[in-house]
Every structure is written in structure tokens, then in C-alpha cells.
Amino acid sequence: MNPITPIINGLAITLKHLFMKPVTLQYPDERPKVAARFRGLHALNVSHNKAKCVACYLCPTVCPAKCITVEAGEDANHDKFASKYEIDMLRCIFCGYCVEACPVDAIRMTGEFELANYHREDFIYNKERLLEKK
Amino acid sequence: MVNLTIDDKQVTAPKTATIYEAAKMNGVNIPILCHDKKLKPFGACRMCLVEVEQMKGRQIPACTTPVTEGMIIRTSTPDIVKARKMVLELLLLNHPLDCPVCDKAGDCDLQNLTYEYKVDTNRFVDEKFHHEIDYNNPLIERDMNRCVLCGKCARICDEIVSFGALTFIDRGIETKIGCEFEDGLNCEFCGSCISVCPVGSLLARPFKFKARFWSLTKQKSVCGYCGTGCNLTLGVKDNKVLTTLYDENQGFHKGQLCVRGRFGYQFINSDKRLTSPLVRRNGRLIEASWEEALEVVAARLKGGNSVAALGSSRLTNEELTLFKKLMLENVGSSNFDHSAGYAHSALTSGFARSFGTTASPASILDIQKTDLLFVIKTDSYETHPVIGFEINMAVKNRGIKLNIISDKRGKLSKLPGANTFVHKPGSEVSVLNAIAKSILDDKLAVGSVDSVQGYAELAEALKAYTPEAVSALCGLTAEDIKKIAREYASADKALILFPIGQGYVSHNQEMSCAVANLSILTGKLGKEGCGVLCMSEKNNSQGAVDMGFFPRADGMNAQQILDACKNGSVKTLFVAGENPIVSYPDKSKVTTALEAVEFLIVSELFMTETAAMADVVLPACSFAEKDGTFTSTDRRVQYVSPSIRKNSNCKTDFEIFSALISKLGGQTPVSSSLLFSEISSNTDGYAGMTHVSLRKESAFASVNVKPKLIVPKASAAVSSEPGKLAMVTGSALYHSGTLSQFGEGPMHVCPEAYVEMSRKDAANLKIHDKDIVTVSSPTGSLKLNVKVTARIPEGLVFVPYHFSAAPVNAIWDGAPVTMVSLTK
Ligand code: SF4
Ligand code: SF4
Ligand code: SF4
Ligand code: SF4
Ligand code: SF4
Ligand code: FES
């Protein structure tokens, strides 16, 4: 083969890409489009102005990273609710098992992926932070 | 034995077995919902259907059908599986499917069976139940919407607990389990019903929503309250004891517990536990390091005979032995005692004289094997509720006769056929002597009895106790006394039971000799189902006696120690685990003594009244945090291992005593198990026991009886005074000693002391139930709530002793009977 041919081919590819749409996302100026089934930060679903979670302890049981802490409380009507619901995002592996386990559709995973923080304790998401924002 | 075929397997089973039992014995599992091995067969749920070829393939319940020779049984044909699925579908039809919020999930028979049989759809539709949930009491929640009507709760409450709080009410689809007049549950809260409920209808409220069943570590232990020695399974999570769990295979009692054992565990993880040694400086208790505190204590212990010790019978055998060693060998004092100095006298000086041993010649297992139970004091139920269950079952299931002599009626009096002979308070010994006299007079004694040592003296002394003479002072008729004697002597096998404890002053050495005489005279000793069971008060009362933690001839007893504190001859007092200010008689005497003593050392779990007066307080550990052995009332030696890690700044009493021994220059034992080997080699009956063997299985320490007849001295009858009532003290069902005050369960249902009186006296004094009255005695007065009950005879009042807030010892100086007046 002519030793020049591969160089020409290479340049041709480069040249072609010059006229194609760029792949690189200019983050943070540009935002990615997150897929519907993306598994990002959790949110606790709300219904009737209350978290739907009934503190059944299934998600902490199923969680392979053991990063969910639930404590149940009894409200004035003797009903069960999560008096504490905490996820340690440093340990979470975003597997989505918690969502799958939940019998009452109380937890889902959002498209939120920007979870960087300055302090370790800021990675512990308590119930207040996890409640879905409407 | 009969031969039969189960699932094509040739097996044998006892003639009395049901198909279910035969299958279980041979490793075939038949699903059940309404059956419990402790209860009589019932057959309510039809989960256990099997096919029997001889019955033309009909489906019959395995739990109620007895086996017969040659039966061919199939336990899981497709038809049966279909039938069981149908049963489940029908149960789930009205069932709320609350699993996410139901505490039973994970331990629920219905849930497990539904999963096993893959019942994921329902062919039927119907409305769910809308029963009101019973939140009326603080311990048991009753949600009848989840009930599968297996009837186990009602049956256990009737057959074993004999309370009868629950029953089926209404008919057909409306049927539910209810209480009288459809009211809230108000019972003795033993929690037996919770333990057998296959679903989440009955739940323990103190544990409600605390954790899931599967996240609990199950730790085997032994109850730390009374001398029955029930086995417990503690549910532990994150190093906290969150609940007690039911294990139907545990202990002689098959997992049955009383309210204290089941609901009284909260003291273990209480916030009120002491966590740091405290040393008094400038009049105030200040936190100090262990080193400092032990240094101060050790310096003070170098006082020879001017040092005295009061131990608790809740310490382990190892701890008590070490405490005794510390006192005898390192301090050089033989002044040590426990339980107010008298609560153990029935054993240490009564049985010691009569039987030549300090233990009871009978075991709890004898209750089911006897023909006649002779119980002294109906309080036996309150002091040892699970022994009470055994009595219930003996009387109800086996038709064993029950005679009781007591100063008041009680729950045992309500058993079918029970005879309660109510005598005047304080006359127990006279009554027992009169029974002995009657046995001799009516020639009911065994032939060889005149050869027993002490016979002649006893026969002579009993002349003063003719039934006629005694009847005048005890309130029973001579005929009653003769009848008790006749029935006791003529029964093939008879067992006598009586409780001892700090509240039962009259159950002393004299009474235990009087009781022992009866069994010796009639030869009801040393045989199965015979003998005398002296029910020791606390979880290791018998162990404290076995370890010799009571004064020898040269030592002072607890009462003498208190006197010596007051007059200055005892300068240092070491109290380990006792709270004499509340539990010993005569509060003012105890308080003066503890104020007078130069130096008071207290090792405790809590800042008790006694600890508050101390110069040094050492934070100790509960039974759940240490290892060692406890000896139950019938001398069953049981090993406990730590269920949770202790707070790092607390020390077990074993560690405290070890540290002090080494500070005083002595040799400390390497470990508690090595010390136990020493104990087993020099304690009567303990030979061959080791921690390793006891860890596998508890063992009975044998009791060697050398009978001797002793003349029991009856105390003088208490003369009644016009306008005054005779007060006796004792145990309330919900409490044991003063420790149960720190268990939330007991305090939920019985939070304060009360005075229980008869309707007649209440009417005479115009006092009503729940009134607050002042009870005055020569030693003081006390404000108490009134309980008017039918069980108390006229002229008597009962005040339980456990409570710091209203301590009965403010009005009680240790007399068996105190005359008091009640004013509004
Ligand atoms: S599984 Fe759902 S209901 Fe249960 S604790 Fe988790 S979020 Fe709450
Ligand atoms: S009783 Fe059992 S099946 Fe019913 S809700 Fe509770 S856990 Fe679920
Ligand atoms: S707690 Fe005991 S006494 Fe009360 S209903 Fe249940 S079994 Fe009966
Ligand atoms: S409450 Fe529980 S134990 Fe009682 S009948 Fe219902 S399911 Fe059975
Ligand atoms: S207090 Fe006594 S009877 Fe009750 S559970 Fe404990 S050992 Fe058993
Ligand atoms: S277990 Fe046999 S009928 Fe319920």
C-alpha cells in the first residue's frame, strides 16, 4: 500500500467530523437530557401532604449497600410513618432496589445527578431533603 | 406404638399422637395455623388437611385426628394443596393485607403460608372488616381486622393462664375475639396471647414499630426477675434489647412468660442507668474515674470486722462467690448477708434443720406429677406467675387436687375444685402444726415415722396444737384442719408449695420446719411428685444460698449489720445491688443506719434511694450484659451469656470485686468459668457442672435430704384492736423486688403502691375504690390508693412492697402483721 493512503484516510475522517454535530457536552453551560428511567437522587413521594412512606423497612432490608436508615414512628392515629428516613449517598450504588421493593410506591429515583458536595455529612440525605419538591 | 404410612414412608408413632404429631416426629411438616403444642387440639382453620386412605380419601384435619394402626396418610396431594390454597384465599378475603405496617410481618404464619402456597390472586371478593382497634391498654394492641379466628389467644388465656379475658363473640361472618362486654382488654398482661397469635392481631405495644422481626438478633437468656428461672429470648438490635421473643421450645415452661419477664426488659437499656463511678466530695456525688473510685473503696475496705456487705440475690453465683471471697479473705470480715437477712431463713435455717440441706426437695416439674397440691398463700401465683401457670395446668388439665391455706383468697382460689382455707394473718405456723397434730392423732403418719430423729419431741410439742385449740385463734374450723390433714396424708403423692421473700416475713425458718414436718410425717418426700418446694424470691435467691452468701456463726446478719452501722461498730458498708431503704422493713431504721455508717459503697444499675446516700457509687451491669450462672428455685443451674455489649464505662460486679481483690493484694480469678469450676467442685450438688456443659443444657443440682422432725415455734397470735385492720405485705403480680420499677411494662399497668381491702371494711369506713387514704401504723403513715376487692377477708389489708414512691416500710417494721388504721 502506498504509505500516504492511511494518512489521507485519517485526515478524511478528521475532516468529516469537523462538519458533524459535536458529541462533547459543554457542561455546565449545556445540560444533558436525562432519560426517564435514569437512576439519580432519590425522592420520597408525597400524597395528601405527607410522605407516602409507611416505614415498612423493606428498602433498608433490600439495600445491598446498607445505606438506608429508617425509623418508624406512631402518629396520633396509631398509624406508622417514617420518623427518620436517611440515605447515605456516599454509599448508595444507585441500584434502584429500594424503588423496586417499596410496596406503596413511596420512593422513586429522579434525574438529579449533581450530588457533589464539600463535606461528608452533606451526603447524608435526611427525610426533609429527600421529600419530592413540587 | 402404632405403625402407619405417611407419604409412602413406614413410620411408628405413640398411640396417643395425632396425625400432625406423628408426622412432625417423623420429619414430615404439615402446615398449621390454629394448632399449638401447648394447647388442646381445636381444629378451627383446616390448614392441616390430609388424606387418609382408609377414610375413602376424605380430607381430614391432622391436628385433631388421632393415629390408628395401619393408617395410610398423604400430606400433600394436588387435591390437598388446592384445598389449602382455598383456605388461604378465604382467610385473605377479609384480611386487610397490612403487611407493610403490620409488626407481625416476617414472623407471620399467614404471610408465610400465603407465600409458600403462592396465593397471589383471589377468586372471591368481599368487604374487609371494620372492627375498632383496641388501644385501651398500654401493653397489648388488639386489631381484630387481622384475626384469623384460630382461637389460640382465648384458649391459652383459659387453659394455661386461667384468666379468661378473651373469647369468641358474635356469630358467622361477624365472629370476633372480644373481651367482656366488648370492652377494652384489662387482664394480667402476661402476653401469652401475643406469643401464640399466628397473625398481627395481638401485638406488644412497647415494641410497636420499633424494628422488624428479621432485623433482630435473637439472644437466649434467663429472666432476671423471680426465682422461677424462665428462659427468655431477647430481641436485640443495635446493642439494645428491644423486645422479648417467643420460643415454644424454650425451658420447662415452653416459652410461657409472665408480665415481668415479657414486658419488663426496659431497665436494661434505660436512660436512667448509671454510666460513671461517682465519689462524694464536699457532700456531692461527683463523677470520677474507675481508678479513683476503686482506690477510695479499697482503702476503706481495709477495716477487717468493721466492714460489712449486703449483696443482692440478683447477682450471679460467680459474683456472689467472689464477693464472699473478697469479704472473707481480703477484707477479713464475715459480716455479709442478703435479702434483709430473713427472706432466706426458710432455707438457710429452716430446711437446714429439717432436711439437712438448704434447698427444696422437689422441683417445678413435680407439679404435673403429683396428685395433690398443697399451697401456702395464694400469693404463690403473684410471686411466681409461671409456676402459677403450672398449677393452673395441673388442676385444669390433669385434675390434680388443690388445697390452699392463705390469709386471703387469690387467683389460685378460682381454679376448679380449689379449696381455699382463709386463716387469720400470721397464724400459718399454728395451722400447719395443727395439721401435723391431726395427722398424728388420726394415725395418718407413715409407720416408720417414730424412728425419725426428733419424733418424740415433736409429738410432745404438738399436744398444744390440737385442731380445736388452734381453730380458736386461726379462724379455721377444727374440721377444716382435719380435712386438710386427711387429704394431704391420704393422697398417693402430694407436693407443698410456699413462697418466700422480703414481703413474707412469716414464711421463715419456723414455717418451713412446720411444712417439712408434714412431708416427713406422711412420707411424702424423696419421690416423684412429692416433697416441698420453697419458692425463692429472686432470680438467684437459691444460688445466693447455695454459694453460702449468708452469715455463718461468726458473722452478723443483715439486721444486725444495720444495727452495727447505727452504733458505729460497722464503719464501712458495701451494698451490691440491694436497695434496703425501699425493700427492707422499717425505713427509718435503715435510713438512720445508712446515715450513721461512716462510709457507704453502693454498686448499682440506677441511682436508687440507697445509692443516693452513698460515698461511692459504682455503675454495674444487668443480667443481659454479663456471663455467669443463676440457680432457680428448684436448683436448676442455668448459664447466661451477654446478650448485649455493656457500656464501656460500666463494670460487672464480677469485674468490680476482682479489681478490689487485686487492690487488696489478693489473687483474682482468671475468668468466671474457672471460678465456676471451683464452685462446682465445692458446692453440694453442683459436681460436674461447667460453663461449657451448662451452655448446652441447664442442669439440676441434686438435693440430698436427711429428714429430721423439728419443733416449729408459732409466733404469738396478733390480737386485734378495735377500729384497726391487720396489714400484711407481699408481692404484686406485676412486680418483683424493686427492680421492676425500672421496667416500663410493669410500671404501665401497676405504677404505684395501693392498699387492697375488703368490701365490708370499705363499707364500714365509707371508703371507696380509688379513694386516697392515709394508712397509719405505730411506725408512720403513708398515703395510698384504695383497691376494694372481693378476695380480701374482713379485717385485713394488703399493701405490696416494691415501690419507692410509697414505700410500705414507712409503716411496716418487719412484723408479719401490723395493725393499721385507715383514714380518708
Ligand atoms: S420500602 Fe417504601 S414504604 Fe418501605 S420504608 Fe422504604 S420507602 Fe418507606
Ligand atoms: S397479619 Fe400477617 S398477613 Fe396480615 S397484615 Fe400482618 S403480616 Fe401481613
Ligand atoms: S395477656 Fe395474658 S391474661 Fe391477658 S388476655 Fe393475653 S393471655 Fe390472657
Ligand atoms: S387474635 Fe390471633 S390468636 Fe386470637 S383468634 Fe385471632 S388470630 Fe387467633
Ligand atoms: S418473673 Fe419469674 S415467672 Fe415471670 S418470666 Fe421471669 S422468671 Fe418467669
Ligand atoms: S391446624 Fe389443624 S385445623 Fe387448624
Side-chain angles (χ1 to χ4, degrees):
Chain A
M1 207 200 307
N2 184 340
I4 302 298
T5 319
I7 297 175
I8 302 267
N9 284 349
L11 282 176
I13 291 172
T14 310
L15 201 66
K16 195 169 94 204
H17 276 270
L18 269 181
F19 298 101
M20 274 167 62
K21 211 176 147 239
V23 176
T24 309
L25 196 68
Q26 293 304 315
Y27 180 81
D29 295 337
E30 280 177 279
R31 312 287 304 172
K33 228 178 99 213
V34 176
R37 290 165 64 186
F38 180 80
R39 298 197 299 267
L41 179 69
H42 308 69
L44 289 174
N45 294 337
V46 170
S47 130
H48 298 94
N49 292 322
K50 279 201 308 206
K52 280 170 91 179
C53 170
V54 293
C56 73
Y57 288 89
L58 287 187
C59 53
T61 303
V62 77
C63 176
K66 292 283 164 270
C67 62
I68 309 180
T69 313
V70 178
E71 266 170 34
E74 190 173 353
D75 68 13
N77 299 324
H78 303 285
D79 287 333
K80 202 178 184 186
F81 73 102
S83 58
K84 175 173 177 185
Y85 192 103
E86 229 171 64
I87 304 182
D88 180 351
M89 288 302 163
L90 284 178
R91 301 184 70 187
C92 177
I93 56 168
F94 299 92
C95 61
Y97 279 11
C98 46
V99 179
E100 220 175 298
C102 184
V104 293
D105 186 28
I107 190 164
R108 69 188 149 87
M109 286 175 122
T110 61
E112 179 64 48
F113 59 88
E114 290 160 307
L115 303 173
N117 238 319
Y118 290 102
H119 301 286
R120 286 185 166 268
E121 53 273 27
D122 292 335
F123 288 95
I124 314 255
Y125 280 67
N126 61 15
K127 188 172 171 188
E128 202 41 54
R129 284 173 80 189
L130 287 169
L131 279 180
E132 67 175 333
K133 316 280 175 303
K134 287 231 165 118
Chain B
M1 291 303 246
V2 295
N3 301 302
L4 61 160
T5 314
I6 302 179
D7 287 346
D8 302 321
K9 214 166 85 186
Q10 291 288 332
V11 298
T12 56
K15 254 211 311 259
T16 50
T18 59
I19 297 178
Y20 170 74
E21 286 160 351
K24 188 157 190 195
M25 265 172 235
N26 292 290
V28 179
N29 201 24
I30 299 176
I32 49 169
L33 259 184
C34 72
H35 183 71
D36 189 286
K37 66 175 182 188
K38 292 204 294 270
L39 301 174
K40 293 181 191 146
F42 193 59
C45 73
R46 307 281 131 167
M47 252 332 272
C48 63
L49 292 177
V50 292
E51 271 173 20
V52 174
E53 203 166 289
Q54 284 85 342
M55 299 188 180
K56 305 195 182 69
R58 251 193 308 140
Q59 297 177 339
I60 54 161
C63 68
T64 52
T65 315
V67 291
T68 53
E69 183 65 39
M71 247 185 187
I72 300 171
I73 299 158
R74 286 206 178 74
T75 67
S76 52
T77 63
D79 276 354
I80 291 172
V81 173
K82 216 170 126 198
R84 287 186 189 149
K85 272 188 161 176
M86 169 92 126
V87 168
L88 288 169
E89 267 179 282
L90 291 172
L91 284 175
L92 294 173
L93 185 55
N94 309 100
H95 194 88
L97 298 184
D98 269 347
C99 304
V101 292
C102 173
D103 260 355
K104 193 73 177 176
D107 185 31
C108 172
D109 290 351
L110 182 61
Q111 201 184 37
N112 290 346
L113 287 168
T114 303
Y115 186 77
E116 186 183 335
Y117 284 86
K118 304 189 185 67
V119 185
D120 44 15
T121 51
N122 210 326
R123 283 170 284 164
F124 315 101
V125 267
D126 194 14
E127 217 184 308
K128 303 286 178 196
F129 292 129
H130 298 290
H131 298 305
E132 204 181 314
I133 303 174
D134 177 6
Y135 296 111
N136 284 303
N137 72 78
L139 295 181
I140 300 176
E141 172 184 311
R142 292 192 315 121
D143 181 350
M144 285 308 119
N145 301 309
R146 296 178 186 149
C147 175
V148 294
L149 296 172
C150 69
K152 280 203 241 179
C153 52
R155 282 146 62 209
I156 202 159
C157 191
D158 172 34
E159 289 173 28
I160 297 181
V161 185
S162 200
F163 191 95
L166 303 167
T167 188
F168 289 108
I169 52 181
D170 292 338
R171 290 289 172 272
I173 192 76
E174 301 292 325
T175 315
K176 64 177 178 203
I177 293 284
C179 306
E180 50 185 12
F181 306 114
E182 294 214 29
D183 209 352
L185 181 64
N186 188 7
C187 61
E188 62 181 65
F189 299 112
C190 64
S192 302
C193 49
I194 302 179
S195 66
V196 291
C197 182
V199 291
S201 277
L202 298 167
L203 293 170
R205 291 189 71 187
F207 176 57
K208 196 174 168 196
F209 300 158
K210 288 256 162 56
R212 282 308 200 178
F213 178 78
W214 59 80
S215 66
L216 296 173
T217 318
K218 285 99 196 158
Q219 296 282 5
K220 305 249 180 246
S221 194
V222 175
C223 177
Y225 282 116
C226 86
T228 310
C230 298
N231 295 11
L232 291 178
T233 304
L234 299 175
V236 177
K237 192 183 165 195
D238 300 335
N239 209 36
K240 283 208 166 74
V241 174
L242 293 183
T243 186
T244 48
L245 297 166
Y246 173 57
D247 175 355
E248 61 167 7
N249 297 317
Q250 222 181 359
F252 74 88
H253 49 100
K254 310 235 170 18
Q256 285 294 114
L257 297 174
C258 76
V259 57
R260 315 184 289 232
R262 189 176 315 273
F263 291 117
Y265 52 83
Q266 295 88 343
F267 72 92
I268 302 170
N269 294 109
S270 167
D271 300 338
K272 297 195 196 118
R273 285 278 298 270
L274 295 169
T275 51
S276 165
L278 304 169
V279 175
R280 192 171 293 276
R281 294 219 171 86
N282 303 327
R284 282 183 45 221
L285 283 168
I286 309 283
E287 291 198 0
S289 73
W290 272 100
E291 192 45 41
E292 256 175 282
L294 290 174
E295 212 42 69
V296 181
V297 171
R300 278 297 184 153
L301 287 178
K302 290 179 191 140
N305 252 331
S306 71
V307 180
L310 295 174
S312 157
S313 37
R314 298 205 194 280
L315 301 183
T316 63
N317 289 327
E318 292 76 2
E319 288 168 342
L320 287 161
T321 305
L322 204 57
F323 201 8
K324 184 174 152 188
K325 269 190 179 201
L326 168 71
M327 290 304 289
L328 282 176
E329 293 167 16
N330 307 98
V331 172
S333 162
S334 35
N335 305 322
F336 50 82
D337 202 352
H338 72 275
S339 298
Y342 60 79
H344 52 68
S345 66
L347 295 165
T348 53
S349 81
F351 282 0
R353 286 186 290 163
S354 290
F355 293 139
T357 170
T358 52
S360 302
S363 88
I364 297 172
L365 306 179
D366 284 312
I367 295 175
Q368 303 299 334
K369 296 177 187 153
T370 189
D371 295 327
L372 174 112
L373 287 166
F374 181 27
V375 176
I376 298 159
K377 285 241 166 45
T378 50
D379 301 48
S380 303
Y381 189 87
E382 279 87 349
T383 55
H384 296 71
V386 172
I387 295 187
F389 293 168
E390 293 291 316
I391 300 177
N392 293 341
M393 288 189 276
V395 174
K396 293 181 105 165
N397 299 348
R398 292 177 191 267
I400 291 169
K401 230 181 126 39
L402 175 62
N403 283 342
I404 306 165
I405 60 167
S406 180
D407 50 13
K408 52 192 159 306
R409 298 175 68 79
K411 187 172 168 199
L412 292 177
S413 315
K414 295 184 196 157
L415 286 172
N419 281 317
T420 311
F421 300 92
V422 180
H423 59 74
K424 294 228 174 86
S427 60
E428 296 86 351
V429 179
S430 305
V431 175
L432 291 165
N433 279 347
I435 295 172
K437 174 72 178 148
S438 171
I439 288 175
L440 289 183
D441 286 352
D442 296 348
K443 309 260 171 306
L444 297 166
V446 283
S448 55
V449 75
D450 37 6
S451 62
V452 177
Q453 209 187 339
Y455 177 75
E457 291 90 329
L458 181 69
E460 181 57 36
L462 286 183
K463 287 198 175 132
Y465 292 96
T466 57
E468 289 74 16
V470 170
S471 88
L473 68 123
C474 76
L476 299 180
T477 64
E479 192 34 55
D480 282 342
I481 295 176
K482 288 182 190 157
K483 182 170 170 231
I484 301 170
R486 228 172 19 244
E487 293 188 346
Y488 177 70
S490 59
D492 265 346
K493 292 183 276 181
L495 178 65
I496 308 183
L497 303 163
F498 67 97
I500 54 172
Q502 281 162 232
Y504 298 94
V505 188
S506 57
H507 291 203
N508 55 8
Q509 65 273 30
E510 303 303 329
M511 192 182 98
S512 71
C513 288
V515 170
N517 287 344
L518 299 184
S519 71
I520 298 170
L521 287 174
T522 55
K524 303 229 176 340
L525 198 61
K527 292 183 287 190
E528 186 174 78
C530 289
V532 183
L533 183 61
C534 166
M535 301 167 13
S536 53
E537 186 180 22
K538 296 188 183 139
N539 58 331
N540 203 28
S541 290
Q542 181 65 46
V545 169
D546 289 350
M547 296 306 115
F549 199 83
F550 55 90
R552 309 172 307 176
D554 59 341
M556 291 191 262
N557 70 23
Q559 297 302 324
Q560 290 162 337
I561 290 173
L562 291 177
D563 291 335
C565 287
K566 200 170 149 192
N567 69 29
S569 53
V570 163
K571 297 200 172 4
T572 302
L573 179 64
F574 192 161
V575 181
E578 291 262 89
N579 188 6
I581 293 193
V582 179
S583 67
Y584 285 23
D586 204 346
K587 185 173 175 148
S588 66
K589 174 183 159 184
V590 181
T591 318
T592 336
L594 297 188
E595 272 165 3
V597 71
E598 261 178 37
F599 201 76
L600 178 63
I601 307 152
V602 175
S603 91
E604 250 301 347
L605 303 184
F606 297 99
M607 187 47 82
T608 59
E609 290 70 14
T610 306
M613 293 181 70
D615 296 289
V616 175
V617 182
L618 305 171
C621 294
S622 73
F623 76 98
E625 295 140 58
K626 57 190 177 193
D627 84 324
T629 55
F630 291 129
T631 307
S632 70
T633 180
D634 55 353
R635 272 192 136 201
R636 190 194 285 266
V637 186
Q638 311 195 89
Y639 175 79
V640 285
S641 52
S643 298
I644 56 172
R645 272 172 285 117
K646 64 186 172 69
N647 177 320
S648 56
N649 207 23
C650 293
K651 283 190 195 298
T652 63
D653 287 282
F654 190 87
E655 291 167 332
I656 295 174
F657 303 143
S658 299
L660 290 172
I661 289 178
S662 75
K663 284 217 182 296
L664 293 175
Q667 183 79 37
T668 53
V670 180
S671 67
S672 66
S673 50
L674 273 180
L675 183 65
F676 187 74
S677 329
E678 197 183 310
I679 293 172
S680 58
S681 63
N682 54 30
T683 309
D684 253 359
Y686 283 55
M689 293 181 196
T690 61
H691 274 186
V692 177
S693 72
L694 294 176
R695 201 187 283 256
K696 271 194 222 107
E697 208 183 358
S698 60
F700 281 111
S702 57
V703 181
N704 208 345
V705 176
K706 289 182 241 27
K708 191 173 160 197
L709 291 163
I710 301 289
V711 178
K713 285 191 264 325
S715 48
V718 202
S719 50
S720 57
E721 294 167 44
K724 295 209 168 175
L725 301 171
M727 181 192 78
V728 291
T729 182
S731 286
L733 174 64
Y734 307 98
H735 289 276
S736 168
T738 53
L739 177 66
S740 50
Q741 291 185 91
F742 298 96
E744 287 164 21
M747 289 308 267
H748 274 317
V749 282
C750 183
E752 53 186 1
Y754 53 86
V755 52
E756 200 176 342
M757 63 189 303
S758 69
R759 289 180 180 160
K760 200 93 174 264
D761 290 323
N764 288 345
L765 294 168
K766 302 205 172 46
I767 292 174
H768 304 102
D769 204 40
K770 302 198 177 73
D771 279 356
I772 293 175
V773 293
T774 308
V775 184
S776 326
S777 79
T779 50
S781 67
L782 199 60
K783 275 199 173 353
L784 292 168
N785 261 318
V786 174
K787 251 192 197 176
V788 181
T789 58
R791 72 179 191 122
I792 303 283
E794 203 184 337
L796 188 82
V797 293
F798 169 77
V799 183
Y801 90 90
H802 322 276
F803 303 92
S804 308
V808 67
N809 62 359
I811 51 170
W812 168 60
D813 63 0
V817 183
T818 313
M819 296 311 291
V820 295
S821 51
L822 268 61
T823 45
K824 264 221 256 193

